[in-house]
Structures are given as C-alpha cells and as structure tokens.
Amino acid sequence: MKPKGKNENEVGLLEYLEDIIGTNKYVTPIDEAYKRLEALNEERASKYQRVKLIQKDKEGLEETKKEAEKHLSMEKEIIDKQSILIQIERLQADEKTQEAEKKAKAIEQKLDEHKTEMEQFSEEVKAIEESFSKEEKEYQKMAKALNKAKEKFTRFEREQIQLQEDEKHLKAQIKKLSTGLEKSEQQIEQKTKAIEESTQEKEACEQKVEDLAEPLAKAEKQLEIMFEGIKDETAPLHLRLEEEQKKLMPFQKEIDAAQAGLGLANNERNIFLSKSQAAEAKLAEANQDIERLRTTIGEREKRGKQLQKDQEQCREDLKEKIQELESLSGKDIELMQEIGLARSKIDELRNNLNESQTQNKVLQKLTALKKTLPGIYGRLGNLGTIENLAKYDIAISTACGRLDDIVVADTHTAQECVKYLRNNNLGRATFIILEKIQNQARQAEADFRAPANSERLYDLIKVKQPEVKLAFYFALKDTLVTDTIEMATKIAYGQRRYRVVTLTGNLIDISGTMSGGGNKPKRGGLAKSVQSDIDPAALNKELEKYNKIAGDKSLELHELREHHTRLELIIEQLQHKQEALRKEVPRIELDIKGLTQQLGEIEARIPKLKEECRLEKEDQNKLKKLEALVAEKEKILSKAKKAAESVVTEIANIENQIANAGGSKLKKQREKVQQISADIDTAAETATKLSVVIASAKVAIQKLQSGIERDKKKLAALQTDIEKKKKHREEITEVANDVLKDREELENSYNEKSEAMKSFRKEYEQKKKAYNQCRTTEVDLLNQFEDEKKKVEELQKRTYIYAAKLDKLSKKKLGLKIDDDDHVDVPAILNVKELEDYDPQALQAEIAVLRQEQSTLSPNINALKEWRTKHSEFLAKKEDLDKTTEERDAKRKEYDDLRKKRLDEFMAGFSTIRKKLSEMYKMITLDDGDADLEPNDSLDPFSEGISFRVRPPKKSWKYIYNLSGGEMTLSSLALVFALHTYKPTPIYIMDEIDAALDFKNVSIVANYIKERTKNAQFLIISLRNDMFEQADRLVGIYKTENCTKSITINPATFAMPIPQTENCTKSITINPATFAMPIPQTENCTKS
C-alpha cells in the first residue's frame, strides 16, 4: 500500500489510517473551507484594486471639480438675468397680442357676414350636386341597359344573318338542282324527240328500201333484157362476170358482216364514251365554279381583314382616348391638389415673410455692416446644414438653442455690433465670438465614439467655412441624437452622462432634466443649404413664383376640363363606329363561311366527277374490248376488202367491158341500177345507225330519269330545310323586332337624357365656377383672418414659450443642483414696475460678459458629478472591501481550526496504533523484531503520507514493500492486530494468510487469534493444520455428483481415529450430534 493515494479515488496508507482513526470526516470540510478561502482572497484582491483605482480617479478629478463648481455659479447668475430678459419680452408680446386680436376680430366679423352669404350659395350648389349625382346614376343605369339591349339585338342580328346566309346557300343549291332538273328534262325531251325523229327517219329509210326494191328489180330486169340483147356479144364477159361474182360472194358476205360488226362496235363505243364526256363537262364546270368562289372568297377575306384592321384601329383609338380621359381625370385631381399646395405655400411664404420682416431685421442690419466689419459671419443656423435635414430637423432645432445667434470673429466685432444695435435701437442679439472659444477646438476634433444606436449632432453638420464649425460645437457640445425616447433614456442615464435628443424633439440634459411633448415640435432652425443670410427679397420672389404657379395651374385645369369634354365627344363617335364595324364584320365572316361551305361541297364533288371521268375498271375493260373489237372488225374488213380487191377490180373491168359493149344506153341503165342499189344501201345503213342512236337515247333517258328522281328528292329535302330556316328566321325577326323596338326606345331615352345631362352639367359647372369664385373670396378673407389669427397665436405662443422658457430656466437652475446637499433658488418673477427698472441691453451685455468668462473655462459638469459619484463609490467599495476582509479572516480561522483538529485527533490515534504495532510485531517475532509507522513529512503528515517500516528479526530496518512474502505477511498481521487493539472490528475475513508462513509463525498467529481476540470473530480460509487445529468450527467443502456441498464440524468433539485403506485416502463425515452415522466409501475417491 502506498504512503498516500495519488487522487481522491485511490486509497493509500494515510487514507486507510484516517478511515480507522475517523479523521477523514474533516477532509471534505477542510477542502471546502480552503476553496472558499481562496475565492475570498481573490475577491478581496479584486475589490482592493478597484478601491485603489477609484481613489486614483477621484484624486485626478479634484481640479476639474473646482472649475465645474465655478462654472455652475456663473451659470446660475446667467439664468437669473435671462429670466428677467424673458419676462420683459413676455410683457412686450402681451401688448402686441392685444393689438393683433383687435385686428383679427374686425376681419372675423367681415368673414362671418360673407359666410352667411356662402352658406346659401353652398346649399344651392349642394342641391345641384345631389340632383346631378342622382341624374348621373340614372344616366349610367340607362347606358348599361342600352348596352345590354344592343348586345342582345346584335346576337339576334348575327343569328338572323346566319339564317339568311343558310337560306341563300340552300336557295343556290335549289336553283342549281332546279336548273339541273330542267336541263335533264330538256335532255329527256330532246332524247325523246330524237328517238321519235330517228324512228320516223328509220321507218322512212326502211320504207325507202322497200320502195326502191321494186324499181331496182325493174331496173335490173331491164338491164337483164338489155344484157340479153347483147348476150352473144357479152356472153363470155357474163360468164366471166358470174364467175367473178361467185368468187366475190364469200368476200362480200365477209365484208358485209365486218361492216355490220364494225358499225355496231363503233356505236357501243360512242355510247360508252358519251358518259365520260358528260362527266368531263361537269368537271370543267365545277372547276370554273371553284375558281369563281375562290376569287369571291379572296375578295371577302380582304374586305374582312380590312374591317378587322379598322375595328382594331378603332378599338386602339377608343382605348387610347379612354386612357387619355382617365389620365386627365387623375391630372384633374393632381392639378387641384397642386393648386391647393401652391396656395398653402403662398400662405406659408406670407407668414414667413411677415416673420422674417420682424426676426431678420437685426440680421439684415448686421449683414449690412459686413462691408465695414468683415468679422461678421452671419446667423449660426444659416452657416451649416445636414444632408438628411428632413430627418434631423426637429432634433437639431430643439437641441441647438443658439441657431439664431450671430457668429463673429473676435470680441471687437461683437462690441461694435452691440454698439450699433444700441445706437440705432434695433433690438438685441446674442453673439458667438470664435476668438474666445478656440480652447474648445481640441475637444471638438478629438476622437469621439458615440454609444450604440446614436450619433453626435456635431459630426453631422456640414459647413462651407471650416472656421465656423467650432461655433456649432460651442452650441451643441457632445449632444447625441437617437431614434426613440427609450434609447435616449438608456444612453443619457448610463454609466457616463450624455446630453441626448430624439428625432421627435425630446431632450435630456446632462443635469438629468427632460423636456418634450406638444403637438408642434420646433423645426426649421437649420438652413436646408448653407447660406450667408435670409433675404426677404428672395421670399417675395418665391411668393411671386408660387402665385404664378397657382395661376398657371388654374388655367391648365380649365383647359384640361375643355379637353375632357372634347375627348368624351370623340369617344362617343368611336363607339358608334365600333358598333357599325362590329355588325359588318360578322356579316362578312358569315358570307365567307357560306362561300367556303359551297367551295367545300364543290371540291368534295371533284373527286367523284374525276372518278366518273376515269370510268370504272369494268367499264375500262369493256371499252378496251370494244376498242379491240372495232380494231378487229376494221382489220377483218380491211382484210376482206383486200382479199376481194382483185376480184372487185376484175368485176369492175368486166362490167366496164360489158357496159362499153352495150353502148351508152346500157351504161346508163347500169348506172341507174347502181344508183338504186347505192340508195338502198345508204337507206339501210342509215336505218342501222338510227337503230343504234335510238338504243343509246333510250339508255340515256333511263339514266336521266333516275337522276331526276334523285334530284327531286334532294330538292324536296332542301325545300323542307329552307322552310324551317325561313320559319326560324321569321321567329327570330319577330323577337329581334321587339328587341330593336326596346333598343330604339332606350336610345331615344338615352339621347334625351344625354342632352339633358349636357345642359345640366353646363349649368352645374357654371354654378360651381361662381361658387369657386365666391369661395376664393372667402379663402382670401379666411387667409387674412388666419394670418392675423396665426399672428395672435404666434404671439400667444410666444407668451407660452416665454412661460415655458421661464419654467425651463427654473428647471435648468434646479438642474444645476448636483445632489441633495446643494441649495438652489428658483429665478424670481417680477412685476411690471420692477421690470421697468431693468435695461434689456445692459442685461444682455452682462450676460455676454458672463458667457465670455464662461467660455474661458473648460467646465466639465460630468467631472463634478463623476467626482461625487466616485467619492460615493469609493466609500461603498471600501466598505465592501472591509466586509470581504472580515469574511476572509473568519474563513481562514475556520480553516486553521479544522486542520489543527484533524492533526490533533489523527496524531493521537496514530501514536496509539504506532505503539501497538511495535508491540504486536515484537510479540509475533518473540521480541526479536520491530515495526513502526513513520510520517514522510513530520510537520504535515497529510502532505506526503505514512510509510510502514519494519525491522525483521536479525535484520535492519526496511520499508514493507522491500520485505519477503512471509515478512510482509507478519508485518501486515501485526498492523491488523494493532488496529484491532485500537478500534476492534466485529468480523475479520482472512484468505490464506498463512500461505507464506512457516509452521512456527502459523502457530503463533493462530494462538494469538484464539487467545487475544475474544471480542471479534475471525473467518479464516486456510490449508495449514496448525491454523485450523485452533479453530472453534471447521467448514468443509466437497463435491459429489457434480454438486458442491458443505459441512460444519466442531473440532473439540473429535475422538474417533480415521481408518485408512491401501492406496486410497478416505474421510468420513461425522454427525457431531450422534457420532454414529456410517460414512459412505468408494474406491479411488476422496470425500470430506
């Protein structure tokens, strides 16, 4: 075990002994007392340093305090003289107030008479305005109703136009169908007539063939007779002719058949082609209609675009004019406001001019002296400005009471100015002498850090002449400006006192007095721009400027109202034009829609017509077959003619020979036969062709009749539709007529109301104009009255101001009271006689002298207050230091007492244990050794701990940690026994303490425990016979069937010897109560 634990969680020999002795109960109180003592020492040192610093600061303020006290004495004298001056000024203001009140009363009487007249005029205007407002509402209501009626009629009109266009389109379709029907019927009639004519012609041809058959037979018979007459001569030729004719007969039959087939094929082909040709004619007609409709639609669209463009232009013009009208309405109000502002400015300038004539009289006269006295700079408020003056105007005007003072360069200039004012009886003025305030230049230019959320007014001021800026510091010092009264209070009454003004005019002085309130805070003290002086001529010029502005704006307002009337007329015309365009555009759109619909229908028919022109595939195949048949028949005919050509030529030659043989008579007869045969052939061929024509005409008639039936059905449907449209249009027309009638009635009423409103408005404007003129007169009178009233109020206000100034001076003088021990008298209030004894100029001069003397001082009232504060603080801090010292001394005594008590009690117990330890060790070692407990620090055993030193038998002294195991065990047991002797413990538990001991020392320890420790119970775990032979009880531990068991034995009752067997050690368990129970035994096993 170490002599002492390294930390509070580690236990050393010292802590172990203290726990036994019981002095560890003092450890925590001692530590706490030590910590508190250290804290008090630090606190006392800190407070001591503060006391020293305060004492040093107080000693440093002694000179400044004396100068401040002198300044306060002079300030009290100045306040008393200023009080007398203010009382004199108040007396003069009261006299002026009485004169102004008389003048104001006269104007008020005249104004009352005019007001009576105005009240009657006002009632008339008010009645007209009410009537006009009522009529205007009714007029607007009628306008809305008229617009609704127009919109309703427009809807009906559009629907009617749509129905008209639909009817027009249907009529066009009906007309087209009717024309088609007429053409079809005409074609049928023509075809029927053609059939009849062809039939008659065919019958005539057939009849002609029949009629020519007999002449032909006669002619042939005559020709045969004539041939018989020359038979002999022409017999060979006839034989050859017959032979050739026989040869020709097959060819002729073939030629006839080919010609008949070719004619039939040509007729069929022509009939087939007539269908496609008719379709091509319709297609060409449809294309012409498409071209015509597209041209018409293009013209309509062009017209529609132009109308839309006109409509858009009209809309934009109307919008522009309405916006211009609305802007004029706004300008009307603006101009009236500008006129009002100009008149207000005129009133303000008149008041300022009146005031400036009074206030600036002294300044003007002094300004005139600049030529002879160049040291005059001018009024302080005109020599500087602030950039954002609107924000700081009230603050600077309130905080700087010297803005009306005259700034001069030196004392000589000030004296000359005072002399000039006194000699000319011009009044009085206060002067700031730059020469006398130069001692404040260093303070003005020194680094200054304003508290948070505040600014120094002096830093905000901008001047043109740098030398005059010091005058502003003289007037303001370190006055701060802040936003709110809360922030001003926090800054002014802080650790360091400041003079603070708020943006709203609340002022807290260094003395602690606070001023503020009222509805009209002071403003206008500082110029908006740096100027040398105020020129009344400039005010007159500005007054003329605003009079001109008011006149110009009134003229502009009159022109604006005339322009307003013209715009209303233009807007009305544009609205009518827009209405006409609004009606025209839908008509064009509907027309384009109808034409587009027709164009679409025709274009939809084009593919069908083209399809009809192209023929169907079956028809094309049939046409190809017919073409092929015609070609084939022509080929056959050509082939047959070619084959018969030699025979025909031969027959012609033979017939010529025969004809020549018979002479001219035979030739004529033959020609006759040929002519008749040719006529018969021609008639037969014509009959055949007519048969084909008749058949074709019948087919065409059937097609035309089916087309007529189809067109008649379409025509009936179209007629039904047009009847419905017509009926619907008539219904809409009837309703639209009613709406139109209502609209016309509303338009008439609206027009009548509009005319009435124009005359009413004209009458109202005339009445209003007259009222305004009368009002202008009233305003002039009122302005005069207000001017006088303001003058009275200003004079009364001056009286109140003088009273407030007196009160302020009283408060200011009372504010000079530094603490409750100071005695300050309030300035006396004098009566009229007493005031007459005083000369204001002399008082002013005395005040100036005092001010001049004050300016040579550099007082710091704060230093005086600070000295007294420091003195009070010094006493308070010293008292606090004394209390802390007393508390520190008491805590030190408590700490020392606890340490002494701990040491005394510990050393008493330590000595006893030390003595017993030596005895115990000697007893164990049979007086052959020794042991001792030794503090490492004899003066403070608690600092370094306790060492355990042992001298084993026949050895030198050693520390316990340098001993062997057995020696260490004996030393430790000796300490335990010594502690037991000092402070017995009921129970001791020892685990194999005899392990490192020999039998002798085990026996000594066991006997000591048995004999000397009757007052405690020892529980010892041991394997040594010499130890447990001395035990009062033995507890055995054994294991059977994987289970630990125990048994307790009283060794004193043992009498039986334990039997032994070969190669096996056995034990028996005895019931101490009976000693008769047999002990179970097993081979190769030990039991207890």
PDB file of all heavy atoms in Angstrom, residues 904-924:
ATOM      1  N   ASP A 904      -4.551  16.944  15.377  1.00  0.00           N
ATOM      2  CA  ASP A 904      -4.506  16.505  16.785  1.00  0.00           C
ATOM      3  C   ASP A 904      -5.141  15.134  16.936  1.00  0.00           C
ATOM      4  O   ASP A 904      -4.562  14.216  17.566  1.00  0.00           O
ATOM      5  CB  ASP A 904      -5.206  17.529  17.664  1.00  0.00           C
ATOM      6  CG  ASP A 904      -4.443  18.852  17.746  1.00  0.00           C
ATOM      7  OD1 ASP A 904      -3.257  18.848  17.368  1.00  0.00           O
ATOM      8  OD2 ASP A 904      -5.051  19.876  18.139  1.00  0.00           O
ATOM      9  N   GLU A 905      -6.356  14.975  16.370  1.00  0.00           N
ATOM     10  CA  GLU A 905      -7.045  13.692  16.512  1.00  0.00           C
ATOM     11  C   GLU A 905      -6.291  12.586  15.792  1.00  0.00           C
ATOM     12  O   GLU A 905      -6.177  11.451  16.284  1.00  0.00           O
ATOM     13  CB  GLU A 905      -8.471  13.816  15.959  1.00  0.00           C
ATOM     14  CG  GLU A 905      -9.370  14.689  16.820  1.00  0.00           C
ATOM     15  CD  GLU A 905     -10.785  14.762  16.266  1.00  0.00           C
ATOM     16  OE1 GLU A 905     -11.084  13.996  15.307  1.00  0.00           O
ATOM     17  OE2 GLU A 905     -11.602  15.562  16.776  1.00  0.00           O
ATOM     18  N   PHE A 906      -5.743  12.892  14.624  1.00  0.00           N
ATOM     19  CA  PHE A 906      -5.015  11.875  13.875  1.00  0.00           C
ATOM     20  C   PHE A 906      -3.736  11.441  14.611  1.00  0.00           C
ATOM     21  O   PHE A 906      -3.418  10.250  14.713  1.00  0.00           O
ATOM     22  CB  PHE A 906      -4.658  12.395  12.476  1.00  0.00           C
ATOM     23  CG  PHE A 906      -3.863  11.431  11.648  1.00  0.00           C
ATOM     24  CD1 PHE A 906      -4.482  10.336  11.055  1.00  0.00           C
ATOM     25  CD2 PHE A 906      -2.489  11.595  11.491  1.00  0.00           C
ATOM     26  CE1 PHE A 906      -3.747   9.444  10.303  1.00  0.00           C
ATOM     27  CE2 PHE A 906      -1.755  10.706  10.742  1.00  0.00           C
ATOM     28  CZ  PHE A 906      -2.388   9.617  10.134  1.00  0.00           C
ATOM     29  N   MET A 907      -3.016  12.432  15.109  1.00  0.00           N
ATOM     30  CA  MET A 907      -1.765  12.097  15.790  1.00  0.00           C
ATOM     31  C   MET A 907      -2.013  11.336  17.067  1.00  0.00           C
ATOM     32  O   MET A 907      -1.214  10.446  17.459  1.00  0.00           O
ATOM     33  CB  MET A 907      -0.969  13.380  16.074  1.00  0.00           C
ATOM     34  CG  MET A 907      -0.429  14.064  14.824  1.00  0.00           C
ATOM     35  SD  MET A 907       0.482  12.964  13.720  1.00  0.00           S
ATOM     36  CE  MET A 907       1.900  12.593  14.761  1.00  0.00           C
ATOM     37  N   ALA A 908      -3.111  11.625  17.742  1.00  0.00           N
ATOM     38  CA  ALA A 908      -3.433  10.865  18.962  1.00  0.00           C
ATOM     39  C   ALA A 908      -3.685   9.397  18.607  1.00  0.00           C
ATOM     40  O   ALA A 908      -3.135   8.466  19.217  1.00  0.00           O
ATOM     41  CB  ALA A 908      -4.656  11.486  19.641  1.00  0.00           C
ATOM     42  N   GLY A 909      -4.530   9.152  17.641  1.00  0.00           N
ATOM     43  CA  GLY A 909      -4.794   7.774  17.224  1.00  0.00           C
ATOM     44  C   GLY A 909      -3.574   7.135  16.600  1.00  0.00           C
ATOM     45  O   GLY A 909      -3.321   5.935  16.809  1.00  0.00           O
ATOM     46  N   PHE A 910      -2.826   7.926  15.804  1.00  0.00           N
ATOM     47  CA  PHE A 910      -1.636   7.409  15.124  1.00  0.00           C
ATOM     48  C   PHE A 910      -0.594   6.949  16.147  1.00  0.00           C
ATOM     49  O   PHE A 910       0.050   5.889  15.991  1.00  0.00           O
ATOM     50  CB  PHE A 910      -1.050   8.497  14.217  1.00  0.00           C
ATOM     51  CG  PHE A 910       0.192   8.086  13.496  1.00  0.00           C
ATOM     52  CD1 PHE A 910       0.122   7.195  12.432  1.00  0.00           C
ATOM     53  CD2 PHE A 910       1.439   8.594  13.885  1.00  0.00           C
ATOM     54  CE1 PHE A 910       1.277   6.824  11.768  1.00  0.00           C
ATOM     55  CE2 PHE A 910       2.583   8.214  13.212  1.00  0.00           C
ATOM     56  CZ  PHE A 910       2.508   7.317  12.153  1.00  0.00           C
ATOM     57  N   SER A 911      -0.407   7.690  17.219  1.00  0.00           N
ATOM     58  CA  SER A 911       0.570   7.310  18.262  1.00  0.00           C
ATOM     59  C   SER A 911       0.180   6.001  18.911  1.00  0.00           C
ATOM     60  O   SER A 911       1.021   5.114  19.162  1.00  0.00           O
ATOM     61  CB  SER A 911       0.658   8.429  19.313  1.00  0.00           C
ATOM     62  OG  SER A 911       1.099   9.628  18.722  1.00  0.00           O
ATOM     63  N   THR A 912      -1.104   5.837  19.201  1.00  0.00           N
ATOM     64  CA  THR A 912      -1.587   4.591  19.824  1.00  0.00           C
ATOM     65  C   THR A 912      -1.356   3.416  18.894  1.00  0.00           C
ATOM     66  O   THR A 912      -0.843   2.359  19.304  1.00  0.00           O
ATOM     67  CB  THR A 912      -3.069   4.719  20.165  1.00  0.00           C
ATOM     68  OG1 THR A 912      -3.258   5.866  21.022  1.00  0.00           O
ATOM     69  CG2 THR A 912      -3.601   3.475  20.826  1.00  0.00           C
ATOM     70  N   ILE A 913      -1.741   3.572  17.643  1.00  0.00           N
ATOM     71  CA  ILE A 913      -1.582   2.473  16.660  1.00  0.00           C
ATOM     72  C   ILE A 913      -0.105   2.167  16.456  1.00  0.00           C
ATOM     73  O   ILE A 913       0.306   0.999  16.352  1.00  0.00           O
ATOM     74  CB  ILE A 913      -2.245   2.877  15.324  1.00  0.00           C
ATOM     75  CG1 ILE A 913      -3.765   2.993  15.497  1.00  0.00           C
ATOM     76  CG2 ILE A 913      -1.916   1.874  14.226  1.00  0.00           C
ATOM     77  CD1 ILE A 913      -4.476   3.632  14.344  1.00  0.00           C
ATOM     78  N   ARG A 914       0.701   3.219  16.433  1.00  0.00           N
ATOM     79  CA  ARG A 914       2.146   3.043  16.236  1.00  0.00           C
ATOM     80  C   ARG A 914       2.752   2.218  17.380  1.00  0.00           C
ATOM     81  O   ARG A 914       3.553   1.304  17.165  1.00  0.00           O
ATOM     82  CB  ARG A 914       2.791   4.433  16.160  1.00  0.00           C
ATOM     83  CG  ARG A 914       4.229   4.453  15.766  1.00  0.00           C
ATOM     84  CD  ARG A 914       4.670   5.895  15.684  1.00  0.00           C
ATOM     85  NE  ARG A 914       6.022   6.022  15.169  1.00  0.00           N
ATOM     86  CZ  ARG A 914       6.681   7.184  15.027  1.00  0.00           C
ATOM     87  NH1 ARG A 914       6.060   8.311  15.352  1.00  0.00           N
ATOM     88  NH2 ARG A 914       7.917   7.207  14.565  1.00  0.00           N
ATOM     89  N   LYS A 915       2.324   2.564  18.573  1.00  0.00           N
ATOM     90  CA  LYS A 915       2.824   1.840  19.764  1.00  0.00           C
ATOM     91  C   LYS A 915       2.370   0.388  19.742  1.00  0.00           C
ATOM     92  O   LYS A 915       3.150  -0.547  19.975  1.00  0.00           O
ATOM     93  CB  LYS A 915       2.341   2.572  21.014  1.00  0.00           C
ATOM     94  CG  LYS A 915       2.834   1.964  22.325  1.00  0.00           C
ATOM     95  CD  LYS A 915       2.298   2.789  23.480  1.00  0.00           C
ATOM     96  CE  LYS A 915       2.774   2.159  24.812  1.00  0.00           C
ATOM     97  NZ  LYS A 915       2.232   2.887  26.002  1.00  0.00           N
ATOM     98  N   LYS A 916       1.070   0.175  19.450  1.00  0.00           N
ATOM     99  CA  LYS A 916       0.527  -1.191  19.437  1.00  0.00           C
ATOM    100  C   LYS A 916       1.168  -2.000  18.317  1.00  0.00           C
ATOM    101  O   LYS A 916       1.364  -3.216  18.436  1.00  0.00           O
ATOM    102  CB  LYS A 916      -1.001  -1.122  19.228  1.00  0.00           C
ATOM    103  CG  LYS A 916      -1.753  -0.593  20.451  1.00  0.00           C
ATOM    104  CD  LYS A 916      -1.620  -1.517  21.656  1.00  0.00           C
ATOM    105  CE  LYS A 916      -2.400  -0.981  22.864  1.00  0.00           C
ATOM    106  NZ  LYS A 916      -2.199  -1.860  24.047  1.00  0.00           N
ATOM    107  N   LEU A 917       1.458  -1.345  17.182  1.00  0.00           N
ATOM    108  CA  LEU A 917       2.097  -2.038  16.067  1.00  0.00           C
ATOM    109  C   LEU A 917       3.446  -2.610  16.509  1.00  0.00           C
ATOM    110  O   LEU A 917       3.778  -3.767  16.222  1.00  0.00           O
ATOM    111  CB  LEU A 917       2.287  -1.086  14.874  1.00  0.00           C
ATOM    112  CG  LEU A 917       3.098  -1.623  13.700  1.00  0.00           C
ATOM    113  CD1 LEU A 917       2.382  -2.824  13.064  1.00  0.00           C
ATOM    114  CD2 LEU A 917       3.312  -0.533  12.647  1.00  0.00           C
ATOM    115  N   SER A 918       4.227  -1.806  17.211  1.00  0.00           N
ATOM    116  CA  SER A 918       5.539  -2.278  17.686  1.00  0.00           C
ATOM    117  C   SER A 918       5.389  -3.452  18.644  1.00  0.00           C
ATOM    118  O   SER A 918       6.100  -4.463  18.564  1.00  0.00           O
ATOM    119  CB  SER A 918       6.283  -1.103  18.355  1.00  0.00           C
ATOM    120  OG  SER A 918       7.556  -1.513  18.822  1.00  0.00           O
ATOM    121  N   GLU A 919       4.381  -3.342  19.525  1.00  0.00           N
ATOM    122  CA  GLU A 919       4.142  -4.417  20.497  1.00  0.00           C
ATOM    123  C   GLU A 919       3.711  -5.692  19.773  1.00  0.00           C
ATOM    124  O   GLU A 919       4.198  -6.792  20.095  1.00  0.00           O
ATOM    125  CB  GLU A 919       3.076  -3.982  21.501  1.00  0.00           C
ATOM    126  CG  GLU A 919       3.536  -2.864  22.444  1.00  0.00           C
ATOM    127  CD  GLU A 919       2.397  -2.391  23.348  1.00  0.00           C
ATOM    128  OE1 GLU A 919       1.269  -2.946  23.189  1.00  0.00           O
ATOM    129  OE2 GLU A 919       2.599  -1.464  24.143  1.00  0.00           O
ATOM    130  N   MET A 920       2.778  -5.542  18.837  1.00  0.00           N
ATOM    131  CA  MET A 920       2.270  -6.721  18.137  1.00  0.00           C
ATOM    132  C   MET A 920       3.381  -7.398  17.358  1.00  0.00           C
ATOM    133  O   MET A 920       3.488  -8.635  17.339  1.00  0.00           O
ATOM    134  CB  MET A 920       1.134  -6.311  17.173  1.00  0.00           C
ATOM    135  CG  MET A 920      -0.163  -5.919  17.873  1.00  0.00           C
ATOM    136  SD  MET A 920      -0.883  -7.254  18.831  1.00  0.00           S
ATOM    137  CE  MET A 920      -0.844  -6.497  20.459  1.00  0.00           C
ATOM    138  N   TYR A 921       4.209  -6.620  16.685  1.00  0.00           N
ATOM    139  CA  TYR A 921       5.271  -7.237  15.873  1.00  0.00           C
ATOM    140  C   TYR A 921       6.310  -7.946  16.755  1.00  0.00           C
ATOM    141  O   TYR A 921       6.798  -9.010  16.424  1.00  0.00           O
ATOM    142  CB  TYR A 921       5.936  -6.167  15.000  1.00  0.00           C
ATOM    143  CG  TYR A 921       6.837  -6.749  13.932  1.00  0.00           C
ATOM    144  CD1 TYR A 921       6.297  -7.322  12.792  1.00  0.00           C
ATOM    145  CD2 TYR A 921       8.214  -6.778  14.117  1.00  0.00           C
ATOM    146  CE1 TYR A 921       7.121  -7.886  11.821  1.00  0.00           C
ATOM    147  CE2 TYR A 921       9.053  -7.343  13.158  1.00  0.00           C
ATOM    148  CZ  TYR A 921       8.483  -7.881  11.992  1.00  0.00           C
ATOM    149  OH  TYR A 921       9.317  -8.449  11.053  1.00  0.00           O
ATOM    150  N   LYS A 922       6.610  -7.273  17.864  1.00  0.00           N
ATOM    151  CA  LYS A 922       7.554  -7.905  18.802  1.00  0.00           C
ATOM    152  C   LYS A 922       6.976  -9.195  19.357  1.00  0.00           C
ATOM    153  O   LYS A 922       7.675 -10.191  19.529  1.00  0.00           O
ATOM    154  CB  LYS A 922       7.899  -6.939  19.930  1.00  0.00           C
ATOM    155  CG  LYS A 922       8.805  -5.790  19.499  1.00  0.00           C
ATOM    156  CD  LYS A 922       9.086  -4.840  20.663  1.00  0.00           C
ATOM    157  CE  LYS A 922      10.009  -3.688  20.234  1.00  0.00           C
ATOM    158  NZ  LYS A 922      10.283  -2.742  21.334  1.00  0.00           N
ATOM    159  N   MET A 923       5.690  -9.182  19.630  1.00  0.00           N
ATOM    160  CA  MET A 923       5.033 -10.391  20.156  1.00  0.00           C
ATOM    161  C   MET A 923       5.087 -11.503  19.120  1.00  0.00           C
ATOM    162  O   MET A 923       5.384 -12.667  19.454  1.00  0.00           O
ATOM    163  CB  MET A 923       3.602 -10.045  20.548  1.00  0.00           C
ATOM    164  CG  MET A 923       2.822 -11.198  21.175  1.00  0.00           C
ATOM    165  SD  MET A 923       1.978 -12.233  19.914  1.00  0.00           S
ATOM    166  CE  MET A 923       0.835 -11.089  19.283  1.00  0.00           C
ATOM    167  N   ILE A 924       4.824 -11.165  17.907  1.00  0.00           N
ATOM    168  CA  ILE A 924       4.811 -12.196  16.856  1.00  0.00           C
ATOM    169  C   ILE A 924       6.203 -12.725  16.616  1.00  0.00           C
ATOM    170  O   ILE A 924       6.418 -13.926  16.391  1.00  0.00           O
ATOM    171  CB  ILE A 924       4.201 -11.612  15.576  1.00  0.00           C
ATOM    172  CG1 ILE A 924       2.698 -11.320  15.757  1.00  0.00           C
ATOM    173  CG2 ILE A 924       4.394 -12.560  14.391  1.00  0.00           C
ATOM    174  CD1 ILE A 924       2.069 -10.584  14.628  1.00  0.00           C
TER     175      ILE A 924
END
